[in-house]
Amino acid sequence: MGDPHRIGIVGLGVISRAYVETLANHPAVRITAVADLDAARATAVAAGISGAEAMTVERLLGDSDVQTVLNLTTPAAHAEIALGAIAGGKNVYGEKPLAATYRDGRAVVEAAAAAGVRIACAPDTVLGTGTQTARAAIDAGLVGRPLAALAVMVTPGHERWHPHPDFYYTDGGGPLMDMGPYYVSALVHLLGPVRAVIGASARLRGERVIGSGPRTGETIPVEVDTHVSAVLEHVGGALSTLTTSFDGTATTAVPIEVHGETGTLAVPDPNRFDGETRHFELGGTDWRPLEPSAGYAGGARGIGLLDFLTADARRPARVGGDHALHVLETLRAVLRSSSEGRRVELTTSGNRPEPVPLTPADEWRRTGASSVRRMDPR
């Protein structure tokens, strides 16, 4: 049995709790260090993780005891932290998106390649039984040749529940950059990479009011468009219509529908790991639920990191850097198309990631260190 792979976490905001819950007691990894701009927060988090030490960000990025940096900072800091970790000879697994801009995302991918380290990026929700069961159904020919998909995400905005929502309304935020990675990543898993996009966007108002936490009632500026629509042209010929909005109240739309020659699939929320996939067959009379047939059962934030650590030359990481860069370029191309009023072709080709076989929760949760590749990058 090898030693657990050593993880250092940078950024200890709301999402970090879910990662810690998955990783803190997993036998394949060990959280050895945590860092945050708020030193008191880092100290408090470290106290709850056996063997973890609170550090400054700079010290963690250079700590020889850390093999992989889990980058959970806000989008504007993703590239800076990733590049610092790479410069320290470390692998990086980051929260989505890979970076706030495509230029920064490409710089991260190129720096990792030059340094001989590896990178991967959320979302990993698409590795759960929800999206993966739908993918398996498509691959089995259940809808015939896929022709189109509809993807819809509508909410009134995250300021209702997030105590510090400012970054959602600055460059790198907005509904497309925040929630779009879930939907575009799922669409790439389902239908393959994107070759071109057409986008349009708008914003309803220039200010938002924080609805929870110590800043309740405080007004924050809106610097990005908060309703974005797009058509994605997939390499295989299918067209996806995507809408992401922080300006709606509610929707009855299915998160994702995939339409084919002989049927339609209703795909569950790609921001969740599970959920029911339903099938309507041409000539049928009702929707039929599909039993989970693929994906990590009982998936949780951090499963993508575990998947990343078990990848090798035969089975690349399903949320690897190339996939993350392709998703990022797709998102930024939509915004560019909206701004310039034209169709934008992508420069990354991307790949349809490997499917996930149906993996019971007790299997991936008990997988020991012997299954994790020795990823010391140097």
Side-chain angles (χ1 to χ4, degrees):
M1 298 292 288
D3 294 331
H5 192 86
R6 301 184 301 280
I7 305 293
I9 304 177
V10 178
L12 302 172
V14 174
I15 196 63
S16 68
R17 302 167 193 165
Y19 280 91
V20 169
E21 184 175 344
T22 299
L23 301 173
N25 296 310
H26 197 283
V29 297
R30 183 162 61 91
I31 300 173
T32 61
V34 297
D36 192 273
L37 292 178
D38 183 340
R41 178 187 293 174
T43 300
V45 171
I49 304 173
S50 178
E53 181 181 355
M55 300 182 179
T56 64
V57 172
E58 182 179 12
R59 182 183 163 200
L60 187 150
L61 296 180
D63 188 350
S64 61
D65 195 44
V66 172
Q67 295 172 277
T68 293
V69 169
L70 175 55
N71 181 6
L72 303 181
T73 56
T74 58
H78 283 181
E80 178 185 358
I81 297 300
L83 290 170
I86 292 167
K90 305 184 189 319
N91 306 294
V92 180
Y93 183 95
E95 247 305 318
K96 52 77 190 169
L98 179 63
T101 68
Y102 174 67
R103 179 179 179 180
D104 284 348
R106 177 168 286 283
V108 169
V109 170
E110 291 176 349
V117 300
R118 300 175 61 203
I119 60 171
C121 183
D124 55 3
T125 47
V126 295
L127 306 183
T129 54
T131 299
Q132 291 296 316
T133 293
R135 173 181 176 157
I138 293 171
D139 291 349
L142 211 59
V143 300
R145 182 166 63 94
L147 302 176
L150 302 175
V152 179
M153 191 293 302
V154 175
T155 79
H158 294 344
E159 73 277 5
R160 294 169 301 129
W161 57 269
H162 198 292
H164 301 286
D166 309 66
F167 68 93
Y168 289 119
Y169 297 101
T170 60
D171 190 32
L176 184 70
M177 293 301 294
D178 177 56
M179 298 300 292
Y182 298 104
Y183 288 80
V184 172
S185 184
L187 290 168
V188 171
H189 273 265
L190 295 169
L191 299 175
V194 177
R195 67 184 175 203
V197 303
I198 299 173
S201 61
R203 74 187 71 172
L204 185 65
R205 53 192 182 275
E207 294 181 337
R208 298 275 172 149
V209 179
I210 299 176
S212 68
R215 298 169 62 197
T216 296
E218 181 180 334
T219 298
I220 58 174
V222 175
E223 300 173 5
V224 295
D225 284 349
T226 47
H227 184 100
V228 185
S229 295
V231 174
L232 315 181
E233 302 176 21
H234 293 267
V235 171
L239 298 178
S240 293
T241 302
L242 170 68
T243 295
T244 62
S245 181
F246 285 167
D247 287 329
T249 299
T251 179
T252 59
V254 175
I256 298 176
E257 286 185 346
V258 177
H259 301 285
E261 291 177 298
T262 61
T264 292
L265 288 177
V267 185
D269 187 350
N271 190 22
R272 295 182 54 190
F273 288 88
D274 53 12
E276 184 178 75
T277 297
R278 294 176 293 139
H279 174 231
F280 201 110
E281 186 177 11
L282 181 65
T285 59
D286 204 355
W287 292 93
R288 177 174 66 91
L290 302 181
E291 290 293 323
S293 61
Y296 291 111
R301 308 278 174 171
I303 188 66
L305 174 57
L306 298 173
D307 183 272
F308 169 56
L309 296 179
T310 55
D312 56 28
R314 293 171 297 176
R315 201 278 292 165
R318 296 180 174 95
V319 288
D322 289 343
H323 172 71
L325 184 63
H326 181 66
V327 170
L328 175 60
E329 186 184 19
T330 301
L331 299 172
R332 297 305 305 194
V334 168
L335 296 177
R336 180 181 169 193
S337 172
S338 173
S339 174
E340 299 178 1
R342 66 180 182 88
R343 177 177 179 270
V344 174
E345 294 188 358
L346 273 66
T347 61
T348 56
S349 57
N351 290 304
R352 194 179 184 215
E354 290 290 317
V356 181
L358 185 60
T359 307
D362 60 351
E363 181 177 324
W364 68 260
R365 287 185 182 277
R366 72 167 183 263
T367 301
S370 61
S371 69
V372 173
R373 289 187 66 225
R374 302 289 296 184
M375 289 182 61
D376 292 288
R378 290 171 293 183

